[in-house]
Amino acid sequence: MQNTLPIHVQLENLIRDKIANGEYAIGSCLPSERRLAETYGINRLTVRAALKNLRQEGLIVAHQGRGNFVNSARMRLSFSSIRGFGTQLKSQGVVHTSKVLIAQKVPANHKLSRCFQLPMGTPLYHLTRIRIGNSHAIVIDDTYFPFSLIPDVEKIDFSVESLYHNFEKNQIILAEARQTLMVTILTDEDAQLLELPPNSPVFCINHQVSDVSGRLVEYTLSYVNPERANITSYLKNQL
């Protein structure tokens, strides 16, 4: 490589060009660090720096133990309306599924009893799901809601049924959501579920959703893979 640009930037541009012209197709695995270093006569630390920048840009994504893959277009998750994960991805033409990790009745602890304004020990339903788009893990949703809200909730298969659809079936009309965006580090187990390396930072969105009476009906922490999704918000000036 001969150019006035730093070597790692030259490699980044070269990889971008190969992705743009289809030589590195979406979903395909890039050559290994060693192969890239040998091909272009540069050291592996330089290759590693280039790949890190491309991952941060969202152009490629790392799968632990498998290598770096050309990323598909990032999905968009909106702050601007109360819509479920499936509804948002369906509007973008994304094939989506859910995998249930936890679905059980639990007593409200101190924190959740305060959020829901219910006595300590009140039964809640704890629902944890991996949300999958185009065969890739996008979000881990860790959700609590009052057990009494949905009759026979333990019989519902939330891998195929929507929580919000079940709210609607039971005349629970969602009216307001308070959402807080944070950044956190996942446990190694959760990072693996989101197909991320250990100690990866992720978006964490705290959703607290209320119905038309002002009653809190949902408390969710959503852990979002930042290599697969962007968080968007639409604001309009009130003139």
Side-chain angles (χ1 to χ4, degrees):
M1 291 186 173
Q2 295 182 349
N3 197 304
T4 57
L5 293 173
I7 300 296
H8 73 277
V9 175
Q10 294 181 53
L11 181 59
E12 289 171 37
N13 290 338
L14 182 66
I15 293 173
R16 285 192 191 93
D17 289 343
K18 288 179 179 292
I19 291 172
N21 66 27
E23 184 174 342
Y24 294 158
I26 289 175
S28 67
C29 184
L30 296 185
S32 67
E33 288 182 6
R34 181 176 62 82
R35 178 64 60 84
L36 288 169
E38 291 175 351
T39 299
Y40 299 108
I42 57 181
N43 68 58
R44 290 181 65 172
L45 289 177
T46 300
V47 173
R48 199 166 296 160
L51 295 176
K52 179 182 178 182
N53 288 342
L54 292 172
R55 284 194 298 270
Q56 291 176 340
E57 187 179 319
L59 201 59
I60 64 174
V61 59
H63 295 309
Q64 190 173 6
R66 295 171 55 201
N68 293 285
F69 290 75
V70 180
N71 203 5
S72 57
R74 291 192 188 192
M75 297 156 206
R76 299 182 307 279
L77 300 178
S78 176
F79 255 166
S80 305
S81 62
I82 305 175
R83 294 195 300 164
F85 175 87
T87 302
Q88 291 198 48
L89 293 196
K90 185 177 180 180
S91 69
Q92 298 170 52
V94 175
V95 178
H96 60 88
T97 57
S98 295
K99 179 180 179 181
V100 175
L101 301 179
I102 298 172
Q104 62 184 17
K105 181 166 68 171
V106 298
N109 60 21
H110 179 68
K111 176 183 176 180
L112 291 172
S113 65
R114 288 183 61 189
C115 289
F116 285 104
Q117 297 184 338
L118 295 170
M120 280 271 290
T122 299
L124 303 176
Y125 200 65
H126 183 196
L127 179 63
T128 303
R129 294 165 289 175
I130 302 176
R131 318 291 251 153
I132 298 165
N134 288 344
S135 302
H136 292 294
I138 309 298
V139 180
I140 297 174
D141 276 340
D142 194 36
T143 299
Y144 294 86
F145 56 90
F147 185 78
S148 60
L149 283 183
I150 301 175
D152 296 322
V153 65
E154 292 175 302
K155 297 179 181 179
I156 297 171
D157 181 359
F158 283 104
S159 67
V160 293
E161 291 207 37
S162 159
L163 173 61
Y164 284 6
H165 177 62
N166 276 278
F167 280 163
E168 185 180 341
K169 284 199 302 185
N170 288 279
Q171 289 76 53
I172 299 166
I173 302 172
L174 305 181
E176 185 175 274
R178 178 182 178 182
Q179 302 185 89
T180 304
L181 177 64
M182 303 166 280
V183 175
T184 189
I185 302 294
L186 290 178
T187 64
D188 287 354
E189 180 182 0
D190 285 345
Q192 187 173 18
L193 290 173
L194 282 181
E195 303 168 6
L196 289 168
N199 299 315
S200 293
V202 298
F203 298 123
C204 177
I205 308 171
N206 176 260
H207 310 265
Q208 297 187 42
V209 182
S210 303
D211 67 5
V212 289
S213 70
R215 171 184 59 169
L216 187 71
V217 296
E218 178 198 356
Y219 179 99
T220 293
L221 291 174
S222 295
Y223 301 96
V224 182
N225 184 334
E227 295 182 350
R228 300 258 170 77
N230 290 329
I231 309 298
T232 66
S233 180
Y234 173 73
L235 304 176
K236 186 175 182 180
N237 192 20
Q238 299 298 319
L239 299 177

